[in-house]
Amino acid sequence: LTLMQVPFVGTGVMGSAVGMDKLAMKTAFSRVDLPQVKYMAVTRSQVWSNPCVFPKLCDEIEANLGYPCFVKPANLGSSVGISKVRSRSELEAALDSAASYDRRLIVEAGVVAREVECAVLGNDNSKASVVGEITYESDFYDYETKYTDGKASLFIPADLPEAVAAQVQEMAIRAFEAVDGAGLSRVDFFYVEATGEIFINEINTLPGFTALSMYPQLWAKTGVSFTELVDRLIELAIERHTDKSKD
């Protein structure tokens, strides 16, 4: 669409790629000083190629991140290939599983936190929605929990201190700008209530957009109806295309 000079809703090639690759995303976030949980980058070759390297890799993960931790493919969504691990045997199995999905992996330290989300709308002068929260009974927000009715609950707006909600909104816009976002994005965070810390988790540059999805619901509670939201996204697509045509 870019090569054909056709307007489209959402982030361009570069920002979409950065938003898809968890390691590139984390690098972009670190450049604008957005706090993140501790993590390590791992390659498939470290997991599979050398039997001498793998035990040392596991030692390093245990020393730097501890348990529990999360093993993820760098370039998948919807929690596919993600494992929460609490022991050496689970870590080894999780690394092997994730390596079957991607040659680039990421291992993140686990935190006891509330999961909150914020929607962003705009191009260069973006706005943030109210903050929402997801709760669930499962061990973590895995694929089944995400896509099975009744497995998760959404609270919009989230019951948060006003200062915390404002900080999440500000961080969401910074994350959007860090990846050169356009049109729409949903930014996910961990709020550690015990310490007041907020860690950015990830940005979704093309979030779910059914009437029941978090993104339109966040805007509905902010005062923007579904119809108005669609109209605004089309306007933003045309605006961005027009700006590029002037370059």
Side-chain angles (χ1 to χ4, degrees), residues 16-24 72-77 80 101-106:
S16 297
V18 172
M20 187 67 198
D21 187 288
K22 292 177 174 62
L23 291 170
K72 306 177 179 181
N75 282 280
L76 281 179
V80 174
Y101 289 99
D102 196 356
R103 56 172 291 275
R104 285 156 53 83
L105 318 176
I106 185 167

Side-chain angles (χ1 to χ4, degrees), residues 22-227:
K22 292 177 174 62
L23 291 170
M25 181 197 307
K26 285 183 174 296
T27 299
F29 291 162
S30 67
R31 294 294 297 271
V32 294
D33 298 322
L34 286 167
Q36 304 175 73
V37 299
K38 292 178 65 176
Y39 70 94
M40 285 178 55
V42 178
T43 63
R44 177 185 286 159
S45 62
Q46 289 176 287
V47 177
W48 282 356
S49 298
N50 190 329
C52 296
V53 170
F54 189 53
K56 294 179 182 178
L57 172 64
C58 293
D59 289 342
E60 187 178 356
I61 291 171
E62 289 177 335
N64 291 335
L65 304 180
Y67 296 116
C69 62
F70 290 85
V71 180
K72 306 177 179 181
N75 282 280
L76 281 179
S78 298
S79 298
V80 174
I82 295 179
S83 302
K84 181 178 182 179
V85 301
R86 299 179 180 82
S87 67
R88 181 63 165 254
S89 61
E90 290 182 354
L91 175 62
E92 292 172 349
L95 288 167
D96 182 66
S97 174
S100 69
Y101 289 99
D102 196 356
R103 56 172 291 275
R104 285 156 53 83
L105 318 176
I106 185 167
V107 186
E108 296 176 340
V111 291
V112 178
R114 295 165 63 182
E115 297 194 23
V116 298
E117 302 184 346
C118 185
V120 180
L121 177 68
N123 288 331
D124 292 334
N125 298 301
S126 55
K127 307 288 186 185
S129 71
V130 298
V131 179
E133 181 175 8
I134 295 175
T135 64
Y136 45 86
E137 296 297 327
S138 54
D139 199 24
F140 71 98
Y141 199 36
D142 58 11
Y143 185 92
E144 182 181 359
T145 303
K146 286 182 177 181
Y147 298 111
T148 304
D149 286 342
K151 289 276 190 177
S153 299
L154 309 183
F155 296 91
I156 310 171
D159 183 14
L160 296 170
E162 187 175 326
V164 171
Q167 188 176 350
V168 167
Q169 291 170 318
E170 185 270 335
M171 290 172 66
I173 291 174
R174 283 166 57 198
F176 186 73
E177 294 172 348
V179 303
D180 191 31
L184 74 168
S185 285
R186 192 194 74 238
V187 191
D188 303 345
F189 298 87
F190 299 125
Y191 170 50
V192 184
E193 200 165 16
T195 63
E197 294 173 291
I198 303 169
F199 298 106
I200 189 166
N201 180 23
E202 63 180 359
I203 187 169
N204 293 272
T205 56
L206 199 62
F209 205 85
T210 71
L212 299 177
S213 297
M214 178 67 105
Y215 185 87
Q217 287 197 65
L218 286 169
W219 281 112
K221 292 294 186 178
T222 310
V224 181
S225 70
F226 192 89
T227 302

